[in-house]
Amino acid sequence: MFSISVEQRQYETYILTDEKGKSQLEVLPTRGGIATKWLVDGKDVFYMDEERLKNPEMSIRGGNPILFPICGNLPDDTYTINGKQFTLKQHGFARNLPWQVGEEVTVDNVSLKLMLSSNEETSSVYPFDFQVSFTYQLHGNTLTILQEFKNQSSEAMPFSVGFHPYFLTHDKSQLEFDIPSQEFQKKGSQEVHPFNGSFDFSQDEIDIAFTKLSAKSTSVTDKSRNLKLTLEYDDNFSTLVFWTVKGKDFYCLEPWSGPRNAINTGKHLTVLGPGATHSAMICLRANFFA
């Protein structure tokens, strides 16, 4: 049985449930359209910093924040379009704005469509008219997120899109990675390092990007939780970012369509023509094993 319920907590919370599949997803449309909680077999998949969630002035550390129209940060938070400079903060504005609720479906799966449209606030930092829709689909242990982008401007619209999922872990030394790349770059560096399949978790912070991907899926097995997480993504996504902080019970493995600063460099930048529509997809699968 598939169902959608709404609870008025601090934020209006949409709860998607697949009763037979023993899974549930909580989404906050007014808090950046974020999926904050994902349960499979009654167990949390996502990490959540509850104190940051409660504070509307702080960015959320947890769940699966949406990154649009940029992923990562820009030098001095600025970019230039047609000779004019604009300021855009890290990861863009989508994760901070209220989204509108669209179609709800409870046949074959349970899905919720959210929409974000350009307005005066977005136009001051991103001079394009657009409509973005994200559809969360939950079925059993699988969460699919369909994305659609419409350029309603009279000129080409450049953007990147991505996600910043925080996965709960209790012992990072028990993580095993299958990342389809043999090299990475650290944040702020162009130097390329070989990847041997593991990370040094004694560091205070790890923030690295894999850009030469040989496959459209990646996975992490957490032996401390008996959980294998698989992330699948379509051809839009060129970059995987791994980020974690020492002493925190999370790691992030983030699919991005373009690397940091793509809106300035043009590298793997999506450019959508006037009146055009573009689609993208990611799929997360959580397998708890005995």
Side-chain angles (χ1 to χ4, degrees):
M1 178 180 173
F2 302 109
S3 64
I4 297 178
S5 60
V6 183
E7 292 185 7
Q8 186 58 54
R9 305 175 187 171
Q10 180 181 1
Y11 308 102
E12 188 175 52
T13 304
Y14 281 70
I15 304 168
L16 285 63
T17 302
D18 177 352
E19 193 172 301
K20 183 178 179 181
K22 299 179 181 178
S23 58
Q24 194 169 77
L25 186 75
E26 296 187 3
V27 179
L28 309 185
T30 61
R31 192 74 158 87
I34 186 175
T36 54
K37 192 177 189 70
W38 180 23
L39 294 173
V40 176
D41 293 334
K43 301 171 185 176
D44 278 304
V45 179
F46 292 147
Y47 165 93
M48 178 53 68
D49 184 326
E50 296 292 346
E51 293 306 310
R52 292 180 72 100
L53 177 62
K54 291 175 185 175
N55 186 345
E57 301 302 314
M58 299 185 76
S59 61
I60 296 175
R61 282 196 174 180
N64 187 31
I66 294 169
L67 315 183
F68 174 83
I70 61 169
C71 301
N73 62 309
L74 307 175
D76 300 318
D77 290 337
T78 62
Y79 71 101
T80 301
I81 293 284
N82 298 329
K84 187 176 181 181
Q85 191 176 82
F86 294 89
T87 298
L88 199 52
K89 293 184 179 180
Q90 178 166 277
H91 296 321
F93 47 69
R95 61 180 180 153
N96 299 317
L97 295 178
W99 290 56
Q100 302 300 312
V101 176
E103 188 179 21
E104 302 176 28
V105 176
T106 54
V107 179
D108 297 329
N109 60 41
V110 53
S111 70
L112 178 70
K113 183 176 183 178
L114 302 181
M115 294 170 292
L116 178 69
S117 298
S118 52
N119 54 41
E120 287 186 12
E121 183 178 354
T122 65
S123 296
S124 66
V125 295
Y126 184 66
F128 301 97
D129 294 325
F130 63 85
Q131 184 181 76
V132 177
S133 66
F134 279 32
T135 301
Y136 294 96
Q137 292 183 344
L138 185 67
H139 192 178
N141 66 343
T142 302
L143 170 61
T144 303
I145 308 176
L146 306 176
Q147 308 126 60
E148 185 175 85
F149 308 87
K150 294 181 181 179
N151 179 10
Q152 299 171 326
S153 307
S154 58
E155 57 186 290
M157 183 178 83
F159 69 91
S160 298
V161 63
F163 296 90
H164 198 310
Y166 288 74
F167 298 115
L168 178 65
T169 184
H170 301 306
D171 185 352
K172 293 173 191 174
S173 71
Q174 296 295 303
L175 298 175
E176 295 182 348
F177 298 89
D178 183 3
I179 295 175
S181 182
Q182 296 182 327
E183 61 184 50
F184 65 84
Q185 292 174 298
K186 295 180 180 179
K187 180 182 179 182
S189 171
Q190 296 300 312
E191 186 179 354
V192 176
H193 301 270
F195 180 57
N196 63 5
S198 62
F199 300 98
D200 177 9
F201 291 113
S202 67
Q203 301 173 78
D204 289 338
E205 181 180 23
I206 303 173
D207 193 347
I208 64 175
F210 300 91
T211 55
K212 292 187 177 180
L213 305 179
S214 60
K216 296 302 176 187
S217 69
T218 183
S219 66
V220 184
T221 300
D222 187 342
K223 293 192 290 186
S224 72
R225 301 195 67 208
N226 291 335
L227 169 62
K228 181 179 180 180
L229 273 168
T230 303
L231 165 63
E232 299 174 356
Y233 41 87
D234 65 16
D235 290 340
N236 291 285
F237 294 91
S238 68
T239 302
L240 287 172
V241 171
F242 182 82
W243 180 63
T244 192
V245 178
K246 189 176 181 179
K248 297 292 185 179
D249 288 343
F250 71 77
Y251 67 91
C252 300
L253 190 55
E254 313 167 29
W256 295 6
S257 67
R260 285 183 176 87
N261 202 32
I263 201 167
N264 281 315
T265 67
K267 187 175 183 180
H268 290 297
L269 185 65
T270 303
V271 181
L272 193 55
T277 300
H278 183 76
S279 299
M281 181 278 295
I282 71 161
C283 180
L284 289 163
R285 190 169 292 109
N287 290 295
F288 285 95
F289 53 88

